[in-house]
Amino acid sequence: MIENRNVNIITDADGKKLVLINDIRFKGKRQIDWDDVKQYLEGYVGDYYEIEESAERIYIGNELPEEYTESESRKSLMGANAKAKANAATAIPELIQIASNPAFEENRKEKHNKNAKFGWYRYDVRFALPVYEENVLVRYNIFHARLLINHAENGRKYLYDILAVKKETSKP
């Protein structure tokens, strides 16, 4: 378990849960140091967290740091969405806790026959990152993402990656 994180679960005006991340560890307008993100994620390996609505345990295996930082989906992220994924790493326990709307999919790739023998699950999550102007908090940007969880041969479910990180558009 990584200590000293400034992360909270809150309920928005629509009654939906989201993770408020005030702990912005990975800064930078242009470039995220993904090696730093990978090293940070290694601090979770061996831990597990429960999804609140189902009490399912989700484990953090040693594949997460590499997949999270080196996947094709990560390499296609740009700007605010890349920064959001990097900083979502600081809120892994809370994101798992609020995961909802599970969708199951059979494993289709032979290379995953061991780590996803019993298929894949995708869960919806939402999180917010602060936006500052001249060191003053002006608002939060809210992001939607999907947790990708594999159901391994050993019967455990493991967080494999966070996909489809996308900023929510504001409501009128």
Side-chain angles (χ1 to χ4, degrees):
M1 175 77 175
I2 296 173
E3 300 294 327
N4 301 324
R5 299 172 309 112
N6 188 357
V7 178
N8 303 92
I9 296 173
I10 64 168
T11 304
D12 69 10
D14 297 327
K16 295 191 277 187
K17 291 192 175 183
L18 72 119
V19 176
L20 189 63
I21 303 171
N22 285 306
D23 189 8
I24 304 302
R25 300 247 172 140
F26 307 106
K27 297 178 173 133
K29 293 255 187 228
R30 294 273 174 234
Q31 239 7 43
I32 297 291
D33 186 338
W34 289 100
D35 288 334
D36 285 352
V37 178
K38 183 188 235 176
Q39 188 175 357
Y40 184 88
L41 286 166
E42 288 168 357
Y44 290 119
V45 172
D47 294 346
Y48 68 86
Y49 305 97
E50 282 191 5
I51 296 174
E52 195 174 83
E53 70 179 32
S54 65
E56 284 183 274
R57 282 186 179 175
I58 305 299
Y59 292 84
I60 310 298
N62 54 14
E63 290 181 339
L64 176 66
E66 178 82 19
E67 189 62 31
Y68 194 98
T69 59
E70 300 297 325
S71 67
E72 292 302 315
S73 66
R74 194 286 296 163
K75 290 176 181 174
S76 68
L77 289 175
M78 305 291 237
N81 290 339
K83 183 179 176 182
K85 179 170 181 169
N87 283 291
T90 65
I92 295 290
E94 291 80 8
L95 290 170
I96 290 171
Q97 192 176 335
I98 69 157
S100 65
N101 196 24
F104 175 76
E105 189 175 293
E106 294 285 342
N107 180 41
R108 294 191 301 252
K109 292 186 180 173
E110 194 172 319
K111 71 178 184 174
H112 294 302
N113 279 349
K114 188 174 180 97
N115 68 358
K117 180 176 183 167
F118 300 115
W120 298 90
Y121 293 86
R122 293 170 194 259
Y123 290 83
D124 290 329
V125 293
R126 293 170 66 232
F127 60 95
L129 296 174
V131 177
Y132 293 93
E133 289 177 10
E134 298 176 24
N135 292 327
V136 175
L137 175 65
V138 291
R139 70 177 183 280
Y140 285 90
N141 283 338
I142 299 175
F143 295 85
H144 177 270
R146 301 277 282 165
L147 299 186
L148 181 62
I149 294 171
N150 62 24
H151 196 170
E153 188 174 48
N154 66 7
R156 289 182 172 178
K157 293 180 179 175
Y158 292 90
L159 179 61
Y160 191 72
D161 199 358
I162 294 181
L163 305 172
V165 175
K166 190 162 173 31
K167 184 178 167 193
E168 290 185 3
T169 55
S170 59
K171 297 175 187 166

